Coordinates of all heavy atoms in Angstrom, one line a residue:
Chain A
Y26 N 97.9 96.4 77.7 CA 96.7 96.8 78.5 C 95.9 95.6 79.0 O 96.1 94.5 78.5 CB 95.9 97.8 77.8 CG 95.3 97.4 76.5 CD1 94.0 96.9 76.4 CD2 96.0 97.4 75.3 CE1 93.4 96.5 75.2 CE2 95.5 97.0 74.1 CZ 94.1 96.6 74.0 OH 93.6 96.2 72.9
G27 N 95.1 95.8 80.0 CA 94.4 94.7 80.7 C 93.7 93.8 79.8 O 94.0 92.5 79.8
Y28 N 92.8 94.3 78.9 CA 92.1 93.4 78.0 C 93.0 92.6 77.1 O 92.7 91.4 76.9 CB 91.1 94.2 77.2 CG 90.2 93.4 76.3 CD1 89.1 92.7 76.8 CD2 90.5 93.3 74.9 CE1 88.3 91.9 76.0 CE2 89.7 92.6 74.1 CZ 88.6 91.9 74.6 OH 87.8 91.1 73.8
T31 N 94.2 89.5 78.9 CA 93.2 88.4 79.0 C 93.1 87.7 77.7 O 93.0 86.5 77.6 CB 91.9 89.0 79.4 OG1 91.4 89.9 78.4 CG2 91.9 89.6 80.7
Q32 N 93.2 88.4 76.6 CA 93.0 87.8 75.2 C 94.2 87.0 74.9 O 94.1 85.9 74.3 CB 92.8 88.9 74.2 CG 91.5 89.6 74.3 CD 90.3 88.7 74.4 OE1 89.9 88.0 73.5 NE2 89.6 88.6 75.6
T45 N 89.7 86.4 84.8 CA 88.5 87.4 85.0 C 89.1 88.8 85.3 O 90.2 88.9 85.8 CB 87.6 86.9 86.1 OG1 88.3 86.9 87.3 CG2 87.0 85.6 85.8
E46 N 88.2 89.8 85.2 CA 88.6 91.1 85.5 C 88.9 91.2 87.0 O 89.8 91.9 87.5 CB 87.5 92.1 85.2 CG 87.1 92.2 83.7 CD 86.1 91.1 83.3 OE1 85.8 90.2 84.1 OE2 85.8 91.0 82.1
G47 N 88.1 90.5 87.8 CA 88.2 90.5 89.3 C 89.5 89.9 89.7 O 89.9 90.2 90.9
A48 N 90.2 89.2 88.9 CA 91.5 88.6 89.3 C 92.6 89.4 88.6 O 93.7 89.7 89.2 CB 91.6 87.2 88.9
L49 N 92.4 89.8 87.4 CA 93.5 90.5 86.6 C 93.8 91.9 87.2 O 95.0 92.2 87.4 CB 93.1 90.6 85.1 CG 94.1 91.4 84.3 CD1 95.4 90.6 84.1 CD2 93.5 91.8 83.0
Y50 N 92.8 92.7 87.3 CA 93.1 94.1 87.7 C 93.7 94.3 89.1 O 94.7 95.0 89.3 CB 91.9 95.0 87.5 CG 91.7 95.2 86.0 CD1 90.7 94.6 85.3 CD2 92.6 96.0 85.2 CE1 90.5 94.7 83.9 CE2 92.4 96.1 83.8 CZ 91.4 95.5 83.2 OH 91.3 95.6 81.8
P51 N 93.2 93.5 90.1 CA 93.9 93.6 91.4 C 95.3 93.2 91.3 O 96.2 93.7 91.9 CB 93.1 92.7 92.3 CG 91.7 92.7 91.7 CD 91.9 92.8 90.2
A52 N 95.6 92.1 90.5 CA 97.0 91.6 90.3 C 97.9 92.7 89.7 O 99.0 93.0 90.1 CB 97.0 90.4 89.5
L53 N 97.3 93.4 88.6 CA 98.1 94.4 87.9 C 98.4 95.6 88.9 O 99.5 96.1 89.0 CB 97.3 94.9 86.7 CG 97.3 94.1 85.5 CD1 96.3 94.6 84.4 CD2 98.7 94.0 84.8
H54 N 97.3 96.0 89.7 CA 97.5 97.1 90.6 C 98.5 96.8 91.7 O 99.2 97.6 92.2 CB 96.1 97.5 91.2 CG 95.2 98.0 90.1 ND1 93.8 97.9 90.2 CD2 95.4 98.6 88.9 CE1 93.3 98.4 89.1 NE2 94.2 98.8 88.3
K55 N 98.5 95.5 92.1 CA 99.4 95.1 93.2 C 100.8 95.1 92.7 O 101.7 95.6 93.4 CB 99.0 93.7 93.7 CG 99.9 93.0 94.7 CD 99.7 93.5 96.1 CE 100.4 92.8 97.1 NZ 101.8 92.8 97.1
E57 N 101.9 97.0 90.4 CA 102.2 98.4 90.2 C 102.6 99.0 91.6 O 103.6 99.7 91.7 CB 101.0 99.2 89.6 CG 101.3 100.6 89.2 CD 100.1 101.4 89.0 OE1 99.0 100.8 88.8 OE2 100.2 102.7 89.0
A58 N 101.8 98.7 92.6 CA 102.1 99.2 93.9 C 103.4 98.7 94.4 O 104.1 99.4 95.2 CB 101.0 98.7 94.9
D59 N 103.8 97.5 94.0 CA 105.1 96.9 94.5 C 106.3 97.5 93.7 O 107.4 97.1 93.9 CB 105.1 95.4 94.3 CG 104.2 94.7 95.3 OD1 103.8 95.4 96.3 OD2 103.8 93.6 95.1
V64 N 103.1 102.6 84.6 CA 101.9 102.8 83.7 C 102.0 104.0 82.7 O 102.8 105.0 83.0 CB 100.6 102.9 84.5 CG1 100.2 101.7 85.2 CG2 100.6 104.1 85.4
E65 N 101.3 103.9 81.6 CA 101.3 105.0 80.6 C 99.9 105.0 80.1 O 99.2 104.0 79.9 CB 102.3 104.6 79.5 CG 102.4 105.7 78.5 CD 103.3 105.2 77.3 OE1 103.9 104.1 77.4 OE2 103.5 106.0 76.4
V66 N 99.3 106.2 80.0 CA 98.0 106.4 79.6 C 98.0 107.0 78.2 O 98.6 108.1 78.0 CB 97.1 107.2 80.6 CG1 95.7 107.4 80.0 CG2 97.0 106.5 81.9
L67 N 97.3 106.4 77.2 CA 97.2 107.0 75.9 C 95.8 107.0 75.4 O 94.9 106.2 75.8 CB 98.0 106.1 74.9 CG 99.5 106.1 75.1 CD1 100.1 105.0 74.2 CD2 100.2 107.4 74.8
K68 N 95.5 108.0 74.6 CA 94.1 108.1 74.0 C 94.0 107.2 72.8 O 94.8 107.3 71.8 CB 93.8 109.5 73.7 CG 92.3 109.7 73.4 CD 91.9 111.1 73.3 CE 90.4 111.3 73.2 NZ 90.0 112.7 73.1
V69 N 93.1 106.2 72.8 CA 92.9 105.2 71.7 C 91.4 105.1 71.5 O 90.7 104.8 72.4 CB 93.5 103.8 72.1 CG1 93.3 102.9 70.9 CG2 95.0 104.0 72.5
D70 N 91.0 105.2 70.2 CA 89.6 105.0 69.9 C 88.6 105.7 70.8 O 87.8 105.0 71.5 CB 89.3 103.5 69.8 CG 90.1 102.8 68.8 OD1 90.5 103.4 67.8 OD2 90.5 101.6 69.0
N71 N 88.6 107.0 71.0 CA 87.7 107.7 71.8 C 87.7 107.5 73.3 O 86.8 107.9 74.0 CB 86.2 107.4 71.3 CG 85.9 107.9 69.9 OD1 86.4 109.0 69.5 ND2 85.2 107.1 69.2
R72 N 88.7 106.8 73.7 CA 88.8 106.6 75.2 C 90.3 106.5 75.6 O 91.2 106.4 74.8 CB 88.1 105.3 75.5 CG 88.7 104.1 74.8 CD 87.9 102.8 75.0 NE 88.4 101.6 74.4 CZ 88.0 101.1 73.3 NH1 87.1 101.7 72.6 NH2 88.5 100.0 72.8
L73 N 90.5 106.6 76.9 CA 91.8 106.5 77.5 C 92.2 105.0 77.8 O 91.3 104.3 78.3 CB 92.0 107.3 78.7 CG 91.8 108.8 78.6 CD1 92.0 109.5 79.9 CD2 92.7 109.4 77.5
R74 N 93.4 104.6 77.5 CA 93.8 103.3 77.7 C 95.1 103.3 78.6 O 96.0 104.0 78.4 CB 94.1 102.6 76.4 CG 94.6 101.2 76.5 CD 94.5 100.5 75.2 NE 93.1 100.2 74.8 CZ 92.8 99.8 73.6 NH1 93.7 99.7 72.6 NH2 91.5 99.5 73.3
K75 N 95.0 102.4 79.6 CA 96.1 102.3 80.5 C 97.0 101.2 80.2 O 96.6 100.0 80.2 CB 95.6 102.2 82.0 CG 96.6 102.3 83.1 CD 95.8 102.3 84.4 CE 96.8 102.4 85.6 NZ 96.0 102.2 86.8
Y77 N 100.5 98.9 80.7 CA 101.5 98.5 81.8 C 102.8 98.1 81.1 O 102.8 97.5 80.1 CB 100.9 97.4 82.6 CG 99.7 97.7 83.4 CD1 98.4 97.6 82.8 CD2 99.8 98.2 84.7 CE1 97.3 98.0 83.5 CE2 98.7 98.6 85.4 CZ 97.4 98.4 84.8 OH 96.3 98.8 85.6
Chain B
K3 N 84.4 99.8 65.8 CA 84.9 100.7 66.9 C 83.7 101.4 67.5 O 82.8 101.9 66.8 CB 85.9 101.7 66.4 CG 87.2 101.1 65.8 CD 87.9 100.4 66.9 CE 89.2 99.7 66.4 NZ 89.7 98.7 67.3
L4 N 83.7 101.6 68.8 CA 82.6 102.3 69.5 C 82.7 103.8 69.3 O 83.7 104.3 69.2 CB 82.6 101.9 71.0 CG 82.4 100.5 71.4 CD1 82.2 100.3 72.9 CD2 81.3 99.8 70.6
T5 N 81.5 104.4 69.3 CA 81.5 105.9 69.1 C 81.7 106.5 70.5 O 81.6 105.9 71.5 CB 80.1 106.3 68.6 OG1 79.1 106.0 69.6 CG2 79.7 105.6 67.3
L6 N 81.9 107.8 70.5 CA 82.1 108.6 71.7 C 80.9 108.5 72.6 O 81.0 108.4 73.8 CB 82.4 110.1 71.3 CG 82.9 110.9 72.5 CD1 84.3 110.4 73.0 CD2 83.2 112.4 72.0
I9 N 81.0 105.2 74.4 CA 82.0 105.2 75.5 C 81.4 106.0 76.7 O 81.6 105.6 77.9 CB 83.3 105.9 75.0 CG1 83.9 105.2 73.8 CG2 84.3 106.1 76.1 CD1 84.4 103.7 74.1
M28 N 88.1 104.7 84.1 CA 88.7 104.8 82.7 C 89.2 103.4 82.3 O 89.0 103.0 81.1 CB 89.8 105.8 82.8 CG 90.6 105.9 81.5 SD 92.4 106.1 82.0 CE 92.8 104.5 82.4
E29 N 89.9 102.7 83.2 CA 90.4 101.4 82.8 C 89.3 100.4 82.6 O 89.4 99.6 81.6 CB 91.3 100.9 83.9 CG 92.1 99.7 83.6 CD 93.3 99.4 84.5 OE1 93.1 99.7 85.7 OE2 94.3 98.9 84.0
T31 N 86.2 101.1 81.6 CA 85.5 101.5 80.4 C 86.3 101.0 79.2 O 85.6 100.4 78.3 CB 85.5 103.1 80.3 OG1 84.8 103.6 81.4 CG2 84.7 103.5 79.1
D32 N 87.6 101.1 79.2 CA 88.4 100.6 78.1 C 88.2 99.0 78.0 O 88.1 98.5 76.9 CB 89.9 100.9 78.3 CG 90.7 100.4 77.1 OD1 90.3 100.7 76.0 OD2 91.8 99.8 77.4
H33 N 88.2 98.4 79.1 CA 88.0 96.9 79.1 C 86.7 96.5 78.5 O 86.6 95.6 77.7 CB 88.2 96.4 80.6 CG 88.2 94.9 80.6 ND1 89.4 94.2 80.7 CD2 87.2 93.9 80.6 CE1 89.1 92.9 80.7 NE2 87.8 92.7 80.7
A35 N 84.7 98.3 76.6 CA 84.6 98.8 75.2 C 85.4 97.8 74.3 O 84.9 97.4 73.2 CB 85.2 100.2 75.1
S36 N 86.6 97.4 74.8 CA 87.4 96.4 74.0 C 86.7 95.1 73.8 O 86.7 94.5 72.7 CB 88.7 96.2 74.7 OG 89.5 97.3 74.8
S37 N 86.0 94.6 74.9 CA 85.3 93.4 74.8 C 84.1 93.5 73.8 O 83.9 92.5 73.0 CB 84.7 93.0 76.2 OG 85.7 93.0 77.2
E39 N 83.9 95.6 71.3 CA 84.4 95.7 70.0 C 84.8 94.3 69.4 O 84.7 94.0 68.2 CB 85.6 96.6 70.0 CG 85.2 98.1 70.0 CD 86.3 99.1 70.2 OE1 87.5 98.7 70.4 OE2 86.0 100.3 70.2
T40 N 85.4 93.5 70.3 CA 85.8 92.1 69.9 C 84.5 91.3 69.4 O 84.6 90.6 68.4 CB 86.5 91.4 71.0 OG1 87.6 92.2 71.5 CG2 87.0 90.0 70.6
F57 N 77.1 91.7 78.1 CA 78.5 91.6 78.7 C 78.4 91.9 80.2 O 79.0 91.2 81.0 CB 79.4 92.7 78.1 CG 80.7 92.8 78.7 CD1 81.8 91.9 78.3 CD2 81.0 93.7 79.7 CE1 83.0 91.9 78.9 CE2 82.3 93.7 80.4 CZ 83.3 92.8 79.9
N61 N 79.7 89.9 83.5 CA 80.9 90.3 84.1 C 80.8 91.4 85.1 O 81.8 91.8 85.7 CB 81.8 90.9 83.0 CG 82.2 89.8 82.0 OD1 82.9 88.9 82.3 ND2 81.6 89.8 80.8
S64 N 82.3 90.6 88.6 CA 83.7 90.5 88.6 C 84.4 91.8 88.6 O 85.4 92.1 89.2 CB 84.1 89.6 87.4 OG 85.5 89.5 87.3
L65 N 83.8 92.7 87.8 CA 84.3 94.1 87.7 C 84.2 94.8 89.0 O 85.2 95.5 89.4 CB 83.6 94.9 86.6 CG 84.0 94.6 85.1 CD1 82.9 95.2 84.2 CD2 85.3 95.2 84.8
S68 N 86.8 93.6 91.5 CA 88.1 94.2 91.3 C 88.2 95.6 91.9 O 89.2 96.0 92.4 CB 88.5 94.2 89.8 OG 87.9 95.2 89.1
K71 N 88.7 95.4 95.7 CA 90.1 95.1 96.1 C 91.0 96.3 95.8 O 92.0 96.4 96.5 CB 90.6 93.9 95.2 CG 90.0 92.5 95.6 CD 90.6 91.5 94.7 CE 90.0 90.1 95.0 NZ 90.4 89.1 94.1
Y72 N 90.6 97.1 94.9 CA 91.5 98.3 94.6 C 91.6 99.2 95.8 O 92.7 99.8 96.0 CB 90.9 99.0 93.4 CG 91.8 100.1 92.8 CD1 93.0 99.7 92.2 CD2 91.5 101.4 93.0 CE1 93.8 100.7 91.7 CE2 92.3 102.4 92.5 CZ 93.5 102.1 91.9 OH 94.3 103.0 91.4
L75 N 94.3 98.1 98.0 CA 95.6 98.2 97.3 C 96.1 99.7 97.2 O 97.3 99.9 97.4 CB 95.5 97.6 95.9 CG 95.7 96.1 95.8 CD1 95.4 95.7 94.4 CD2 97.1 95.7 96.2
L78 N 97.7 100.8 100.4 CA 99.0 100.2 100.6 C 100.0 100.9 99.7 O 101.2 101.2 100.1 CB 98.9 98.7 100.1 CG 100.2 97.9 100.2 CD1 100.6 97.5 101.6 CD2 100.1 96.6 99.3
K79 N 99.6 101.2 98.4 CA 100.5 101.9 97.5 C 100.9 103.3 98.0 O 102.0 103.7 97.9 CB 99.7 102.0 96.2 CG 100.5 102.5 95.0 CD 99.7 102.3 93.7 CE 99.5 103.6 92.9 NZ 98.8 103.4 91.7
K82 N 103.3 103.1 101.0 CA 104.7 102.7 100.5 C 105.4 103.9 99.9 O 106.6 104.1 100.2 CB 104.6 101.6 99.5 CG 104.5 100.2 100.0 CD 104.6 99.2 98.9 CE 104.5 97.8 99.4 NZ 104.4 96.8 98.3
R83 N 104.6 104.7 99.1 CA 105.3 105.8 98.5 C 105.6 106.9 99.5 O 106.6 107.6 99.3 CB 104.4 106.3 97.4 CG 104.3 105.3 96.2 CD 103.8 106.0 95.0 NE 103.8 105.0 93.9 CZ 103.2 105.1 92.7 NH1 102.5 106.2 92.5 NH2 103.3 104.2 91.8
M211 N 98.9 112.5 83.0 CA 98.4 111.2 82.5 C 97.0 111.3 81.9 O 96.8 110.8 80.8 CB 98.4 110.2 83.6 CG 99.5 109.2 83.7 SD 99.0 108.0 84.9 CE 100.4 107.0 84.9
Y212 N 96.1 111.9 82.6 CA 94.7 111.8 82.2 C 94.2 113.1 81.6 O 93.6 113.0 80.5 CB 93.8 111.4 83.4 CG 94.2 110.1 84.0 CD1 95.0 109.9 85.1 CD2 93.7 108.9 83.3 CE1 95.3 108.7 85.6 CE2 94.0 107.7 83.8 CZ 94.8 107.6 84.9 OH 95.2 106.3 85.4
N215 N 95.5 113.9 78.2 CA 95.1 113.0 77.2 C 93.6 113.2 76.8 O 93.2 113.0 75.7 CB 95.2 111.5 77.7 CG 96.6 111.0 77.4 OD1 97.0 111.1 76.2 ND2 97.3 110.5 78.4
V216 N 92.8 113.6 77.8 CA 91.4 113.8 77.6 C 91.3 115.0 76.6 O 90.4 115.0 75.7 CB 90.6 114.1 78.9 CG1 89.3 114.7 78.6 CG2 90.5 112.8 79.7
A218 N 93.5 116.0 74.5 CA 94.2 115.8 73.2 C 93.3 115.6 72.0 O 92.3 115.0 72.1 CB 95.2 114.6 73.4

Side-chain angles (χ1 to χ4, degrees):
Chain A
Y26 57 98
Y28 182 75
T31 61
Q32 293 308 293
T45 62
E46 299 83 359
L49 176 72
Y50 289 105
L53 283 170
H54 297 149
K55 174 81 171 59
E57 189 197 342
D59 291 342
V64 294
E65 187 184 354
V66 176
L67 294 173
K68 194 171 186 180
V69 180
D70 300 328
N71 295 321
R72 58 188 183 262
L73 295 183
R74 179 166 287 167
K75 192 174 178 183
Y77 294 89
Chain B
K3 297 293 175 200
L4 298 190
T5 64
L6 194 58
I9 301 294
M28 171 223 78
E29 190 167 33
T31 302
D32 181 48
H33 188 95
S36 299
S37 305
E39 283 173 353
T40 304
F57 178 85
N61 299 290
S64 178
L65 280 167
S68 77
K71 284 184 185 171
Y72 188 71
L75 278 172
L78 178 77
K79 189 168 124 181
K82 274 185 181 175
R83 290 196 178 167
M211 257 192 183
Y212 298 98
N215 271 311
V216 168

